[in-house]
Amino acid sequence: MNHQAAGSLVVMSKFTPPTRKQQLEAIGAVLAGRDSFVGLRTGYGKSLCFQLPAAARPGVTVVVTPLLALAQDQCTDCDERGIVAAKHTSDVDSAVRAGIVADLEGDDPETKLLYLTPEGLAKEEMQELLSKLNARRLLNAIAVDEVCVAPSAVHPLPASADLVLSTSESAHTPAGPFLPCLLALIRLG
């Protein structure tokens, strides 16, 4: 067995195997550098669709979510699996956020998953950081998780989608001008 195959088995062993067709299709698409959409209810395994590919390869996957508690829960879950995930949000101490940025600016970032709010993604300094990661071919994908789709929602889909698209449109990857974007939505009600 070669080194890459052995590494993939180690990564897979950290996760409950995907059991839904949508999960398998989304994971395959992200690993192949294609966009993917997953519409599953809460608790049906959307996070597996971006966490597993992020853990399986070098670089960083950005996860955009308006839910700070969800970001914290997913970071804790990743930590328990031995996967480095960081939450760069307003509720995180500035010294910790500076450490996250320093890691991402380093030659070989340890962070595999970077959790941001839509507002955090929109900040100019974050856009610059992500552009630099992309220029170094270290920005693998952007996932939008738990996007509200109700008309009266605090973070409606168009604002979040526009932020992701504006990041993707300026990106140039080996596969083409756009980063793979995994859009993972829940249905409300």
Side-chain angles (χ1 to χ4, degrees):
M1 178 181 305
N2 67 31
H3 179 69
Q4 185 177 4
S8 295
L9 287 174
V10 170
V11 168
M12 289 293 293
S13 72
K14 297 178 182 187
F15 293 94
T16 302
T19 57
R20 293 177 175 80
K21 180 182 175 188
Q22 299 98 322
Q23 289 174 311
L24 293 169
E25 290 172 352
I27 290 167
V30 173
L31 287 172
R34 296 188 318 268
D35 289 349
S36 182
F37 170 84
V38 181
L40 296 170
R41 295 176 188 263
T42 299
Y44 276 63
K46 291 181 304 294
S47 59
L48 177 68
C49 299
F50 54 82
Q51 288 177 351
L52 193 150
R57 59 187 179 178
V60 180
T61 293
V62 173
V63 181
V64 183
T65 179
L67 307 175
L68 296 176
L70 173 72
Q72 183 58 55
D73 289 348
Q74 290 192 6
C75 284
T76 300
D77 186 49
C78 286
D79 184 53
E80 290 170 359
R81 289 188 168 113
I83 300 162
V84 180
K87 184 175 77 151
H88 191 284
T89 57
S90 60
D91 64 328
V92 175
D93 181 74
S94 62
V96 173
R97 288 194 314 265
I100 294 167
V101 169
D103 174 54
L104 295 172
E105 289 176 337
D107 291 337
D108 186 21
E110 291 183 15
T111 303
K112 304 297 280 172
L113 290 143
L114 175 64
Y115 286 82
L116 302 171
T117 61
E119 297 83 2
L121 176 63
K123 290 184 178 181
E124 186 176 337
E125 58 271 15
M126 186 54 66
Q127 292 285 317
E128 288 175 17
L129 176 63
L130 297 180
S131 291
K132 289 176 184 176
L133 277 171
N134 187 55
R136 294 168 35 217
R137 303 207 186 285
L138 292 173
L139 185 56
N140 289 330
I142 299 173
V144 180
D145 195 9
E146 300 292 345
V147 176
C148 299
V149 294
S152 61
V154 176
H155 298 282
L157 174 60
S160 297
D162 288 347
L163 289 172
V164 172
L165 291 175
S166 69
T167 300
S168 297
E169 288 170 359
S170 64
H172 294 281
T173 63
F178 302 106
L179 289 173
C181 179
L182 175 75
L183 184 57
L185 301 176
I186 62 164
R187 295 180 189 179
L188 303 178

